[in-house]
Amino acid sequence: MTTVVVGTAGHIDHGKTTLLRALTGIDADRLPEERKRGMTIDVGFAHVVLEDGTAIDFVDVPGHDRLVGNMLVGAGEIDAALLVIAADDGPRAQTLEHLELLDALGIDLGIVAITKADLVDAERIREVEGDVAALVTRTSLADAPLVVVSATTGAGLDELRTHLVQLRDAAGARRAPPPPRDSRLAVDRVFSIKGRGTVVTGTLRGGAIAPGTTLTAIPGGRAARVREVQVHNASVGEGDGGRTALNLAGEVAGLRRGIVLATAGAPVVASDLILARLEEPARLGPARPETAGMWPPRARTTARLHAGTDAVDATVAAPGAGWTDLEPRRDRRAVAAFLRLAEPVAVAAGDRGVLRESATGRVVAGVAILDPLPPRGIARRRMSAERLIALDGAVAENPPGAAVALAELHGAWRPAATAGIVVAPDVEALARSVAMKAVASHHAEAPDSLGLPVAELRRGVTAELRRVIGGDREGTKMAGEIARSAIEALADDGHLERAGDRIRDPGRSARSGLEAAMARLEKALDVAAPPALADAARETACRPDGIRSLEVAGRIVRVEDDLAWATTEFDRLTDVAVAAASRSPLTPAALRDATGTSRRYVMALLEDLGRRGVLRRTDAGHVPGPRANARVGAVTAGARTEP
Ligand SMILES: Nc1nc2c(ncn2[C@@H]2O[C@H](COP(=O)(O)OP(=O)(O)OP(=O)(O)O)[C@@H](O)[C@H]2O)c(=O)[nH]1
Ligand SMILES: [Mg+2]
């Protein structure tokens, strides 16, 4: 199990360092100045090895009101908090301030220790317990157990240890097994040791680090090689979490507190523009009129962003036209915001931080990184409320998987490593469906058209995309590119068909092509003396399957292999023949005169009508037959109405 790191918090002189010493035997005040003055100035460290061999690491922080920056360096990389309150003094200014900061950092695992119990009576303890509980319940540490201890007498320390073991288990259970090669260490100290060179310390996150590993310094990009890994002051084969010291070789110049050392696979990047979730702070202090109703912060508010072990000036901006509300936390509002940073910092999606006004100490907001490299420029228009809410949910649910969510939500606008742009799936789907619809409606409006001109289709799709991604110059260019590539992709995968400078639905164009040819043939045969069928078919470009379809549908009547009439014309000729035959037996010459055709047509017609029983042959000529009233068109029209 990865070692859990617990950070102290609390007002100056309330007994944080003394309590850690009682628990671990280690004095976290390591600087001579700290020992001389009996106060913590910078972050200090201690650890305790439990009976089962696992360890709990501690980061001790100063309580001094001027040293909140150092407190945040310590609190930036902890799993849980140990809030310390002196029983004689009760909650004081930095008790409240540290609690607000822990809340803003989203630290919801911890223990509240009321110490120096030896200095007060039971009634005072009950009073302080009540005051503390009332404060804590308004924060992320609402569920933290409360223990009463004395570092001097040792009272309550066993109970505190029991809670620490439970804390360790709770923190361990939360962590997903880290990907082996994704390791990062936010540097909190850099020093050199004679004969060994540069040593950095920090809390190791993610997978193990072993000697020989190459780490990249972020920001800066310099490469350092790990010479030696130390945990709890002893050299180890590999460090797999918790407080870790690394002896480094290589490009170690410029290493400082705040830099993150990361393996190549770690998702941490240097960025000076961050898309973040801002959370309304707890505000435990006395209500101040000047801070009332100041949420969300005004656009262009500047504050100090504390993230990891780094701190940088940040300017707040709303993405798009206004604030987008995200899932609230503890009944407090949360919004999406851009943070423009004075300098790049090392961040990853899911990282927590806090925005704080350095002049007043006011906590502006709790921060969760949603996208460490948000799209710039026109792409911001794509940050609809739905997208921001979905991204926030993905990051909250699964910080290590957030990179996937980012790619899905914002990937459209990142320049791809190779060429052109990577199109987000939803944008591509929109482009495709707009193109398909445009082609379909073109065919519906103009059934005989060879297809929609490609340029016209591209213009239509571009216009539709611009409504989604913005219509400025860059947006138009981008939309045009996406439209072009979507149409190309549709043609490549066979959803659409290119025909010269036109584009059409391949199924529909094939169907309508044949349909048109059939209609042309039907029309060519709709005369009393039609051309030979083979010639007519060639002339009208109607394939044999089209001729068959016309026959089956009853639209033409084929009386010989090479002779057919359109059904309407055939029925008209039948009417003429039956009418003439009713008056007197019909001779071929008489029918030829009545129809204005030639002997060839008349002989074929009479033979067919005789076969059908419409006419009956006698020696004198044809007379009406038993089915004199039957017409081909009437039969086929009736047949067509059947299901
Ligand atoms: N009687 C008594 N005194 C204590 C106890 N714990 C701490 N003290 C005393 O309180 C004073 C401050 O203790 P520290 O541990 O230095 O306090 P701190 O919270 O670390 O202070 P900063 O690091 O400056 O914020 C010291 O003189 C301690 O001896 C306790 O349980 N009982
Ligand atoms: Mg101290």
Side-chain angles (χ1 to χ4, degrees):
M1 191 198 314
T2 321
T3 306
V4 168
V5 181
V6 179
T8 60
H11 197 72
I12 186 167
D13 268 348
H14 273 204
K16 300 177 288 295
T17 307
T18 308
L19 185 56
L20 282 196
R21 195 166 51 227
L23 279 172
T24 68
I26 296 168
D27 188 355
D29 280 349
R30 60 202 152 75
L31 306 173
E33 180 73 5
E34 290 177 322
R35 296 202 167 155
K36 199 175 92 196
R37 293 170 65 178
M39 67 177 272
T40 307
I41 294 168
D42 202 355
V43 284
F45 311 98
H47 64 274
V48 60
V49 179
L50 303 170
E51 279 168 13
D52 62 5
T54 62
I56 297 175
D57 286 351
F58 294 94
V59 176
D60 187 32
V61 303
H64 197 291
D65 62 352
R66 298 262 188 83
L67 299 172
V68 175
N70 284 349
M71 179 271 174
L72 281 165
V73 168
E77 291 287 326
I78 58 175
D79 302 297
L82 176 62
L83 179 66
V84 178
I85 299 129
D88 54 343
D89 213 11
R92 295 282 303 278
Q94 271 64 54
T95 312
L96 274 55
E97 186 173 7
H98 287 191
L99 199 44
E100 278 184 14
L101 292 168
L102 294 171
D103 174 88
L105 287 166
I107 291 166
D108 56 359
L109 281 177
I111 301 169
V112 179
I114 295 175
T115 189
K116 305 198 193 183
D118 57 294
L119 294 181
V120 297
D121 60 16
E123 200 188 326
R124 169 66 186 164
I125 286 183
R126 270 196 303 281
E127 190 189 344
V128 174
E129 277 180 330
D131 293 349
V132 171
L135 281 176
V136 169
T137 193
R138 293 161 62 190
T139 72
S140 58
L141 288 171
D143 295 331
L146 204 151
V147 290
V148 178
V149 297
S150 166
T152 307
T153 67
L157 289 186
D158 281 341
E159 197 193 340
L160 179 53
R161 281 190 197 97
T162 306
H163 283 301
L164 281 167
V165 170
Q166 285 167 5
L167 199 64
R168 175 202 66 179
D169 294 343
R174 267 189 197 186
R175 282 200 198 141
R181 278 176 222 294
D182 293 4
S183 314
R184 53 190 282 204
L185 179 140
V187 173
D188 49 35
R189 280 188 302 161
V190 183
F191 49 90
S192 42
I193 295 179
K194 231 183 178 160
R196 289 226 183 151
T198 301
V199 174
V200 299
T201 67
T203 297
L204 177 61
R205 305 257 164 230
I209 286 184
T213 306
T214 297
L215 299 171
T216 306
I218 303 168
R222 294 181 184 183
R225 195 173 45 79
V226 177
R227 254 197 215 146
E228 189 192 358
V229 182
Q230 280 205 5
V231 173
H232 304 151
N233 305 317
S235 190
V236 293
E238 61 172 31
D240 66 351
R243 294 295 310 169
T244 305
L246 302 174
N247 181 199
L248 299 172
E251 299 173 328
V252 294
L255 284 178
R256 57 161 176 87
R257 172 175 283 180
I259 277 187
V260 170
L261 291 167
T263 52
V268 55
V269 295
S271 176
D272 61 1
L273 177 68
I274 289 168
L275 177 64
R277 170 189 162 93
L278 300 191
E279 293 170 346
E280 188 175 4
R283 288 198 194 109
L284 302 174
R288 284 180 295 174
E290 72 270 22
T291 61
M294 280 190 58
W295 182 261
R298 272 191 219 99
R300 287 186 296 284
T301 293
T302 49
R304 196 95 173 136
L305 171 68
H306 297 261
T309 57
D310 212 352
V312 63
D313 286 334
T315 309
V316 177
W323 297 111
T324 297
D325 272 288
L326 304 174
E327 183 74 25
R329 190 176 67 113
R330 308 189 60 81
D331 293 333
R332 283 181 253 137
R333 239 178 121 181
V335 295
F338 276 112
L339 299 178
R340 284 183 190 289
L341 312 180
E343 279 164 79
V345 293
V347 277
D351 280 3
R352 297 287 318 200
V354 53
L355 271 179
R356 179 176 181 268
E357 251 180 29
S358 23
T360 62
R362 190 174 69 92
V363 180
V364 177
V367 174
I369 311 294
L370 297 182
D371 189 345
L373 287 175
R376 293 172 188 250
I378 64 118
R380 282 171 58 175
R381 291 165 205 271
R382 292 190 59 231
M383 294 203 187
S384 63
E386 295 77 39
R387 278 169 188 282
L388 291 168
I389 290 165
L391 179 60
D392 181 49
V395 170
E397 216 164 83
N398 185 18
V404 177
L406 296 175
E408 298 246 317
L409 284 158
H410 298 304
W413 314 111
R414 300 263 162 80
T418 46
I421 44 169
V422 180
V423 182
D426 59 336
V427 173
E428 193 182 346
L430 176 68
R432 288 175 73 106
S433 91
V434 168
M436 291 300 288
K437 274 187 203 140
V439 171
S441 70
H442 173 77
H443 283 308
E445 279 164 24
D448 288 339
S449 162
L450 289 173
L452 185 60
V454 176
E456 195 181 322
L457 177 60
R458 201 183 297 156
R459 269 199 302 279
V461 176
T462 302
E464 196 63 34
L465 287 175
R466 272 175 50 186
R467 301 204 331 202
V468 180
I469 60 184
D472 56 11
R473 213 162 55 85
E474 204 184 342
T476 306
K477 202 175 123 204
M478 194 74 85
E481 271 300 298
I482 293 171
R484 193 187 52 74
S485 77
I487 293 166
E488 248 167 46
L490 284 169
D492 286 347
D493 61 22
H495 283 85
L496 292 178
E497 183 181 76
R498 274 193 215 89
D501 66 343
R502 289 171 182 254
I503 197 131
R504 60 193 184 197
D505 175 346
R508 205 187 157 95
S509 63
R511 260 198 324 281
S512 67
L514 186 59
E515 268 299 327
M518 284 162 62
R520 285 195 297 271
L521 180 60
E522 186 182 14
K523 200 172 166 201
L525 301 179
D526 199 13
V527 288
L533 183 56
D535 292 344
R538 199 176 324 108
E539 194 66 26
T540 58
C542 186
R543 300 196 307 255
D545 56 332
I547 301 173
R548 258 194 314 280
S549 298
L550 286 169
E551 266 189 275
V552 169
R555 288 165 61 184
I556 63 171
V557 181
R558 198 163 177 174
V559 296
E560 285 173 10
D561 262 2
D562 209 22
L563 179 59
W565 276 279
T567 300
T568 44
E569 178 62 13
F570 185 83
D571 282 346
R572 191 186 68 80
L573 293 171
T574 305
D575 285 344
V576 171
V578 171
S582 310
R583 289 192 292 271
S584 56
L586 184 63
T587 61
L591 183 59
R592 186 193 59 204
D593 294 343
T595 57
T597 59
S598 67
R599 183 177 168 79
R600 157 155 168 67
Y601 296 104
V602 167
M603 295 313 289
L605 186 61
L606 286 174
E607 194 176 325
D608 188 82
L609 292 175
R611 262 202 310 273
R612 291 173 197 270
V614 174
L615 294 179
R616 186 167 54 83
R617 186 186 180 136
T618 65
D619 287 345
H622 282 82
V623 295
R627 307 189 61 218
N629 294 321
R631 294 294 176 274
V632 180
V635 171
T636 51
R640 271 185 212 160
T641 63
E642 282 169 24

